[in-house]
Amino acid sequence: MKKALITGVTGQDGSYLAELLLEKGYKVYGVRRRTSTANYENVEHIKDEIEWISGDLADLSSLIEAVNKSQPDEVYNLAAQSFVEASWPQPLFTGNVTAIGVTNMLEAVRIARPAAKFYQASSSEMFGKVVETPQKETTPFYPRSPYGVAKLYGHWITVNYRESFDMFACSGILFNHESPRRGMEFVTRKVTNAVARIKLGLQNELRMGNLDAKRDWGFAGDYVKAMWLMLQQEQPDDYVISTGETHTVRELLEVAFSYVDLNYEDYVVIDPKFFRPAEVDLLLGDCSKAKQTLGWELDVSFEHLIHMMVEADIKRVLAEHKYRSEIITDVAVV
Ligand code: NDP
Ligand code: GDP
């Protein structure tokens, strides 16, 4: 039986990846923080199938212990302070976890199980103020946030360990990917949650930042398959994973609100609080290399993704508030 160690397993991607690996018959070890906010919602349904190990990306000893204990064939390093906006008020914490944490994890693997294959969760935020469009593996990087800078360090230290120590280390440069398990602070989930609450009469406005920003949004369930495929190749390498389509935040609003027959213009208020000190205006990925080499394909379109998220949020909000008589219960889409 193959063994996999996942950091960040309680997060969006970690939960989908753990499901995928369990389906494939892996023994899955999940690193969780003792200081975590202990949100196990994403893994509630599989928590008894995961072998839990206490650890923190900022604590090398705990990671060595985790690798020693699990002796994994594959290590997926998904843990991070992953929210761009939080990286300005917390640049040092972001650097400690999202940048130096990668070296900690690589060191743990090098010391305790150098033969393990290693996946690093890199990000399209490394392209930042893009120097070419679409962005691919050879596009120069220009990060625009402490998060982007930290991810760039994580990317290069992964490449460096591959070249220095002959480790099977891959960096997946993933463009934005979303799901009903996405954190509430990210723009897609903030919008779909608000649409559900507005439709159900619990909220009457949505405060937003820059509606002109463009992102290449895919479905997290499709993207974790690419992570696994990277570690099944003969040679370690780096890959862009994206949809090849870009949409503005305004288009996201249109798709989400119109799905429940609402007009976003009646509810959205622009609030300067949500504008960022430096913005990433446009992301659009070219994933030809992943398609050709890994045979990776995506199943879920942008519209399907947003509809799926709106439906899931309506169901969840209804379940949370079912005792409240003022809620409209005959929403057409659920
Ligand atoms: P989430 O924010 O949903 O999950 C982050 C995970 O990291 C959580 O399980 C969290 O655990 C854990 N974590 C945070 N800090 C530490 C720490 N110090 N030690 C151990 N664990 C920690 O992120 P996603 O699932 O969306 O993303 C997964 C990875 O992919 C991240 O590295 C992210 O930066 C990267 N990425 C994501 C993209 C996206 O669009 N989703 C795009 C490109 C890259 P806890 O429950 O304890 O908080
Ligand atoms: P990011 O690409 O990792 O920063 O993912 P986010 O989902 O946090 O943000 C995507 C884009 O949406 C960024 O360009 C933000 O500036 C923009 N945006 C506009 N309004 C908001 C908002 O209210 N919240 C968030 N999170 N992003 C917003």
Coordinates of all heavy atoms in Angstrom, one line a residue, residues 7-14 31-33 35-39 42 55-58 77-82 93 97-98 121-124 147 151 174-178 181-183 185-186 227, ligand 1:
T7 N 0.5 17.9 4.2 CA 0.3 19.1 5.1 C -0.8 19.9 4.5 O -1.0 19.9 3.3 CB 1.6 19.9 5.2 OG1 1.8 20.6 4.0 CG2 2.9 19.0 5.5
G8 N -1.5 20.6 5.4 CA -2.6 21.4 5.0 C -3.8 20.6 4.6 O -4.7 21.0 3.8
V9 N -3.9 19.4 5.2 CA -5.0 18.5 4.8 C -6.4 18.9 5.2 O -7.4 18.5 4.6 CB -4.7 17.1 5.4 CG1 -4.8 17.0 6.9 CG2 -5.5 16.0 4.8
T10 N -6.5 19.9 6.2 CA -7.8 20.4 6.6 C -8.3 21.5 5.7 O -9.4 21.9 5.8 CB -7.7 20.9 8.1 OG1 -6.7 21.9 8.2 CG2 -7.5 19.8 9.1
G11 N -7.4 21.9 4.8 CA -7.8 23.0 3.9 C -8.6 22.5 2.7 O -8.9 21.3 2.6
Q12 N -8.9 23.4 1.8 CA -9.7 23.1 0.6 C -9.0 21.9 -0.2 O -9.5 20.8 -0.4 CB -9.9 24.3 -0.3 CG -10.5 23.9 -1.6 CD -10.5 25.1 -2.6 OE1 -11.6 25.6 -2.8 NE2 -9.4 25.4 -3.2
D13 N -7.8 22.2 -0.6 CA -7.1 21.2 -1.5 C -6.8 19.9 -0.8 O -6.9 18.8 -1.3 CB -5.8 21.8 -2.1 CG -6.1 23.0 -3.0 OD1 -7.2 23.4 -3.2 OD2 -5.1 23.4 -3.6
G14 N -6.3 20.1 0.5 CA -5.9 18.9 1.3 C -7.1 17.9 1.4 O -6.9 16.7 1.3
V31 N -1.0 16.0 8.5 CA -0.3 16.9 9.5 C -1.3 17.9 9.9 O -1.9 18.6 9.1 CB 1.0 17.5 9.0 CG1 1.5 18.5 10.0 CG2 2.0 16.5 8.5
R32 N -1.6 18.0 11.2 CA -2.5 19.1 11.7 C -1.8 19.9 12.8 O -1.0 19.3 13.6 CB -3.8 18.6 12.1 CG -3.7 17.8 13.4 CD -5.1 17.3 13.9 NE -5.1 16.3 14.9 CZ -6.1 15.6 15.3 NH1 -7.2 15.7 14.7 NH2 -5.9 14.6 16.2
R33 N -2.1 21.1 12.9 CA -1.5 22.0 13.9 C -2.2 21.9 15.2 O -3.4 21.9 15.3 CB -1.6 23.5 13.5 CG -1.0 23.8 12.2 CD -0.9 25.3 12.1 NE -2.2 25.9 11.6 CZ -2.3 27.2 11.4 NH1 -1.3 28.0 11.7 NH2 -3.4 27.7 10.9
T35 N -2.1 24.3 17.2 CA -2.7 25.6 17.4 C -3.7 26.0 16.3 O -4.1 27.1 16.2 CB -1.5 26.6 17.3 OG1 -0.8 26.3 16.1 CG2 -0.6 26.6 18.5
S36 N -4.2 25.0 15.6 CA -5.2 25.2 14.6 C -6.5 25.7 15.2 O -6.8 25.5 16.3 CB -5.5 23.9 13.9 OG -6.6 24.0 13.1
T37 N -7.2 26.4 14.3 CA -8.5 26.9 14.7 C -9.4 25.7 14.7 O -10.6 25.8 15.0 CB -9.1 27.9 13.7 OG1 -8.8 27.5 12.4 CG2 -8.4 29.3 14.0
A38 N -8.9 24.5 14.5 CA -9.6 23.2 14.5 C -10.8 23.2 13.7 O -11.9 22.8 14.2 CB -9.8 22.8 16.0
N39 N -10.7 23.6 12.5 CA -11.9 23.5 11.6 C -11.7 22.3 10.8 O -11.0 22.2 9.8 CB -11.9 24.8 10.7 CG -13.1 24.8 9.8 OD1 -13.8 23.8 9.8 ND2 -13.2 25.8 9.0
N42 N -14.0 20.4 6.4 CA -13.7 19.8 5.1 C -13.4 18.3 5.1 O -13.4 17.7 4.1 CB -12.5 20.6 4.5 CG -12.8 22.0 4.1 OD1 -14.0 22.3 3.8 ND2 -11.8 22.9 4.0
G55 N 1.8 18.6 13.9 CA 3.0 19.2 13.4 C 2.7 20.6 12.9 O 1.5 21.0 12.7
D56 N 3.7 21.4 12.7 CA 3.5 22.8 12.2 C 4.6 23.1 11.2 O 5.8 22.7 11.5 CB 3.6 23.7 13.4 CG 3.1 25.1 13.1 OD1 3.7 25.7 12.2 OD2 2.2 25.6 13.7
L57 N 4.3 23.8 10.2 CA 5.3 24.0 9.1 C 6.5 24.9 9.7 O 7.6 24.9 9.1 CB 4.7 24.7 7.9 CG 5.0 24.1 6.6 CD1 4.6 22.6 6.6 CD2 4.3 24.8 5.4
A58 N 6.2 25.6 10.8 CA 7.2 26.5 11.3 C 8.1 25.7 12.3 O 9.0 26.3 12.9 CB 6.6 27.7 12.0
N77 N 3.0 19.1 0.1 CA 3.1 20.2 1.0 C 2.2 21.3 0.6 O 2.5 22.2 -0.2 CB 4.6 20.8 1.0 CG 4.7 21.8 2.0 OD1 4.2 21.7 3.1 ND2 5.5 22.9 1.7
L78 N 1.0 21.2 1.2 CA -0.1 22.2 0.8 C -0.3 23.2 1.9 O -1.0 24.2 1.7 CB -1.4 21.4 0.6 CG -1.4 20.2 -0.3 CD1 -2.8 19.7 -0.5 CD2 -0.8 20.6 -1.7
A79 N 0.3 23.1 3.1 CA 0.1 24.0 4.2 C 0.7 25.4 3.8 O 1.7 25.5 3.2 CB 0.7 23.5 5.5
A80 N 0.0 26.4 4.2 CA 0.5 27.8 4.0 C -0.5 28.8 4.7 O -1.6 28.5 4.9 CB 0.5 28.1 2.5
Q81 N 0.1 30.0 4.9 CA -0.8 31.1 5.1 C -1.2 31.5 3.7 O -0.4 32.1 3.0 CB -0.1 32.3 5.8 CG -1.0 33.4 6.3 CD -1.7 34.1 5.2 OE1 -2.9 33.8 4.9 NE2 -1.1 35.1 4.6
S82 N -2.4 31.2 3.3 CA -2.7 31.1 1.8 C -3.5 32.4 1.3 O -3.8 32.4 0.2 CB -3.5 29.9 1.5 OG -4.8 29.9 2.1
F93 N 4.9 36.5 9.5 CA 4.2 35.2 9.7 C 4.1 34.4 8.3 O 4.4 33.3 8.2 CB 2.9 35.4 10.3 CG 2.1 34.1 10.5 CD1 2.4 33.1 11.4 CD2 1.0 33.8 9.6 CE1 1.7 32.0 11.5 CE2 0.3 32.6 9.7 CZ 0.6 31.7 10.6
V97 N 5.9 30.8 7.4 CA 5.1 29.6 7.1 C 5.2 29.3 5.6 O 5.6 28.2 5.2 CB 3.6 29.7 7.5 CG1 2.8 28.5 7.1 CG2 3.6 29.9 9.1
T98 N 4.8 30.3 4.8 CA 4.7 30.0 3.3 C 6.0 29.9 2.6 O 6.1 29.3 1.6 CB 3.7 31.1 2.8 OG1 2.5 31.1 3.5 CG2 3.4 30.9 1.3
A121 N 3.1 23.2 -3.3 CA 1.9 24.0 -3.8 C 2.3 25.4 -4.2 O 2.2 26.4 -3.4 CB 0.8 24.0 -2.7
S122 N 2.8 25.6 -5.4 CA 3.2 27.0 -5.8 C 2.0 27.6 -6.4 O 0.9 27.0 -6.6 CB 4.4 26.9 -6.8 OG 5.5 26.5 -6.1
S123 N 2.1 28.9 -6.8 CA 0.9 29.7 -7.1 C 1.1 30.6 -8.3 O 2.2 31.2 -8.5 CB 0.6 30.5 -5.9 OG -0.3 31.5 -6.2
S124 N 0.1 30.9 -9.0 CA 0.1 31.9 -10.1 C 0.3 33.3 -9.6 O 0.7 34.2 -10.4 CB -1.2 31.8 -10.9 OG -2.3 32.0 -10.0
Y147 N 2.7 37.4 0.1 CA 2.3 36.0 -0.2 C 3.0 35.6 -1.4 O 3.6 34.5 -1.5 CB 0.8 35.9 -0.3 CG 0.3 34.6 -0.9 CD1 0.1 33.5 0.0 CD2 0.0 34.4 -2.2 CE1 -0.3 32.3 -0.5 CE2 -0.4 33.2 -2.7 CZ -0.5 32.1 -1.9 OH -0.9 30.9 -2.4
K151 N 5.7 32.6 -1.8 CA 5.5 31.4 -2.7 C 6.7 31.3 -3.7 O 7.1 30.2 -4.1 CB 4.2 31.6 -3.4 CG 3.0 31.2 -2.6 CD 2.9 29.6 -2.4 CE 1.8 29.2 -1.5 NZ 1.8 27.8 -1.1
L174 N -0.2 26.5 -9.6 CA -1.6 26.4 -9.8 C -2.3 27.8 -9.8 O -2.0 28.6 -9.0 CB -2.3 25.5 -8.7 CG -2.3 24.0 -9.0 CD1 -1.0 23.4 -9.5 CD2 -2.9 23.2 -7.9
F175 N -3.1 28.0 -10.8 CA -3.9 29.2 -10.9 C -5.1 29.0 -9.9 O -5.3 27.9 -9.4 CB -4.4 29.4 -12.3 CG -3.3 30.1 -13.2 CD1 -2.1 29.4 -13.4 CD2 -3.4 31.3 -13.7 CE1 -1.0 29.9 -14.1 CE2 -2.4 31.9 -14.4 CZ -1.2 31.2 -14.6
N176 N -5.8 30.1 -9.6 CA -6.9 30.1 -8.6 C -7.8 28.9 -8.8 O -8.3 28.7 -10.0 CB -7.7 31.4 -8.7 CG -6.9 32.6 -8.3 OD1 -5.9 32.8 -8.9 ND2 -7.4 33.4 -7.4
H177 N -8.1 28.2 -7.8 CA -9.1 27.1 -7.9 C -10.0 27.1 -6.6 O -9.5 27.4 -5.5 CB -8.4 25.7 -8.1 CG -7.2 25.5 -7.2 ND1 -6.0 26.0 -7.5 CD2 -7.1 24.8 -6.1 CE1 -5.2 25.6 -6.5 NE2 -5.8 24.9 -5.7
E178 N -11.2 26.8 -6.8 CA -12.3 27.1 -5.9 C -13.2 25.9 -5.7 O -13.1 24.9 -6.5 CB -13.1 28.3 -6.4 CG -12.3 29.4 -7.1 CD -11.4 30.2 -6.2 OE1 -11.9 30.5 -5.1 OE2 -10.2 30.4 -6.5
R181 N -15.7 24.2 -0.7 CA -14.9 24.2 0.5 C -13.8 25.3 0.6 O -13.0 25.4 1.5 CB -14.1 22.9 0.6 CG -15.0 21.7 0.6 CD -14.2 20.4 0.7 NE -15.1 19.2 0.3 CZ -14.6 18.0 0.1 NH1 -13.3 17.7 0.1 NH2 -15.5 17.1 -0.3
R182 N -13.9 26.3 -0.3 CA -13.0 27.4 -0.3 C -13.2 28.3 0.9 O -14.4 28.4 1.4 CB -13.3 28.2 -1.6 CG -12.4 29.4 -1.9 CD -11.0 29.0 -2.1 NE -10.3 29.8 -3.1 CZ -9.0 30.1 -3.1 NH1 -8.2 29.6 -2.1 NH2 -8.4 30.8 -4.0
G183 N -12.2 28.8 1.5 CA -12.3 29.7 2.6 C -13.2 30.9 2.3 O -13.2 31.4 1.2
E185 N -13.1 33.9 3.0 CA -12.5 35.3 2.7 C -12.1 35.4 1.2 O -11.9 36.6 0.8 CB -11.3 35.5 3.6 CG -10.1 34.5 3.4 CD -10.3 33.2 4.2 OE1 -11.4 32.7 4.3 OE2 -9.2 32.6 4.6
F186 N -12.0 34.3 0.5 CA -11.7 34.4 -0.9 C -12.9 34.9 -1.7 O -14.0 34.6 -1.4 CB -11.2 33.1 -1.5 CG -9.9 32.7 -0.8 CD1 -9.9 31.9 0.4 CD2 -8.7 33.1 -1.3 CE1 -8.7 31.6 1.0 CE2 -7.5 32.7 -0.7 CZ -7.5 32.0 0.4
M227 N -1.9 17.4 -9.2 CA -0.8 17.2 -8.1 C -0.4 15.7 -8.1 O 0.8 15.4 -8.1 CB -1.4 17.5 -6.7 CG -1.8 18.9 -6.6 SD -2.5 19.1 -4.9 CE -3.1 20.8 -5.0
Ligands
NDP1 P1 -6.3 26.6 2.6 O1 -6.1 28.0 3.2 O2 -7.7 26.1 2.5 O3 -5.6 25.5 3.5 C1 -4.3 25.8 4.1 C2 -4.0 24.7 5.1 O4 -2.7 25.0 5.6 C3 -4.9 24.5 6.2 O5 -5.1 23.1 6.4 C4 -4.2 25.0 7.4 O6 -4.5 24.4 8.6 C5 -2.7 24.7 7.0 N1 -1.7 25.5 7.7 C6 -1.6 26.8 7.8 N2 -0.6 27.2 8.5 C7 0.1 26.1 8.9 C8 1.2 25.8 9.6 N3 2.0 26.7 10.1 N4 1.5 24.5 9.9 C9 0.8 23.5 9.4 N5 -0.4 23.7 8.7 C10 -0.7 25.0 8.4 O7 -5.6 26.6 1.2 P2 -5.9 25.8 -0.1 O8 -6.3 24.4 0.2 O9 -6.8 26.7 -1.0 O10 -4.5 25.8 -0.9 C11 -3.6 24.8 -0.6 C12 -2.2 25.3 -1.0 O11 -2.1 25.7 -2.4 C13 -1.7 26.5 -0.2 O12 -0.3 26.4 0.0 C14 -2.0 27.7 -1.1 O13 -1.2 28.8 -0.8 C15 -1.7 27.0 -2.5 N6 -2.4 27.6 -3.6 C16 -3.8 27.7 -3.6 C17 -4.5 28.2 -4.7 C18 -6.0 28.3 -4.7 O14 -6.5 28.9 -5.6 N7 -6.7 27.6 -3.7 C19 -3.7 28.6 -5.9 C20 -2.3 28.4 -5.8 C21 -1.7 27.9 -4.7 P3 -5.4 25.0 9.8 O15 -6.7 24.2 9.7 O16 -4.6 24.6 11.0 O17 -5.5 26.4 9.6

